[in-house]
Amino acid sequence: MDGNLVGSIGWPGHGEYTRVLLESIGAKISRSHRNSVLVVLADYAEDYEVNVPFRALQGLGCRVDAVCPSKKKGESSLTAILDDEGAQICTEKRGHNFVVNANWSDISADDYDFLVLPGGRSPELLVINEKVVSLIKEFADKGKIIAAIGQGKWVVAAAGALKGKRSASSHGMKAIVKWLVGK
């Protein structure tokens, strides 16, 4: 920031850019406790559902780690953009490359305050991974916040963490979640 001009280099700097924007309009960002966030994704996570929380939480001063069970730190995970073009279901287009910034093998629920599970096609891969489902269950058992967006609730349901809970869902996801919770 230089006077009244705020500049950014693009995607890598959006978290910092958001923090500067918020502070420039008078927002107070607490640095007394830096929350740590874990984002778990696989290929074809919905682009906005991974990028927006990731960058916004960074902008709020959180440490945000993104992991993919099949990728190493520094590798890219493909995202998808779902586009409502007036049909019964959205079309799917290739989105941005999202760079994973932590290694799956280094992850422990004890190191994070909360978890974000973006939707898109990513949950189709995550829900069949027993280690992912166990990690989600561990977050739930420890009473940590789990933010599941769209189809991300599929993985939360598979971990048994939606029993007795209410959650906003599309009609299709509502049917899947009810069926999984009832099993």
Side-chain angles (χ1 to χ4, degrees), residues 43-47 49 78-85 87 89-95 119-125 151:
D43 280 339
Y44 291 101
E46 208 285 331
D47 193 276
E49 293 176 9
L78 306 176
T79 67
I81 296 173
L82 303 178
D83 200 1
D84 184 356
E85 296 181 10
I89 190 166
C90 293
T91 59
E92 186 175 276
K93 298 175 175 76
R94 185 149 187 288
R121 303 288 302 272
S122 171
E124 294 176 33
L125 298 169
Q151 286 191 202

Side-chain angles (χ1 to χ4, degrees), residues 11-26:
W11 280 109
H14 279 183
E16 178 69 10
Y17 179 75
T18 302
R19 183 192 59 75
V20 170
L21 283 175
L22 291 169
E23 288 177 342
S24 72
I25 61 171

Side-chain angles (χ1 to χ4, degrees), residues 110-145:
D110 292 330
D111 295 335
Y112 298 94
D113 299 304
F114 64 99
L115 171 72
V116 175
L117 289 163
R121 303 288 302 272
S122 171
E124 294 176 33
L125 298 169
L126 297 176
V127 76
I128 59 173
N129 186 317
E130 290 180 27
K131 290 180 180 177
V132 170
V133 174
S134 292
L135 179 70
I136 307 314
K137 183 173 180 355
E138 186 178 355
F139 268 84
D141 290 347
K142 293 180 178 201
K144 296 186 179 214
I145 301 292

Side-chain angles (χ1 to χ4, degrees), residues 39-118:
V39 178
V40 179
L41 70 146
D43 280 339
Y44 291 101
E46 208 285 331
D47 193 276
Y48 303 115
E49 293 176 9
V50 67
N51 274 299
V52 171
F54 185 85
R55 308 297 175 191
L57 290 164
Q58 283 180 325
L60 292 171
C62 297
R63 183 189 100 219
V64 186
D65 289 340
V67 295
C68 175
S70 63
K71 311 247 183 218
K72 293 181 180 153
K73 180 179 180 177
E75 293 182 337
S76 291
S77 186
L78 306 176
T79 67
I81 296 173
L82 303 178
D83 200 1
D84 184 356
E85 296 181 10
Q88 287 181 297
I89 190 166
C90 293
T91 59
E92 186 175 276
K93 298 175 175 76
R94 185 149 187 288
H96 298 93
N97 290 331
F98 183 86
V99 178
V100 174
N101 67 347
N103 287 313
W104 173 256
S105 59
D106 297 336
I107 299 305
S108 168
D110 292 330
D111 295 335
Y112 298 94
D113 299 304
F114 64 99
L115 171 72
V116 175
L117 289 163

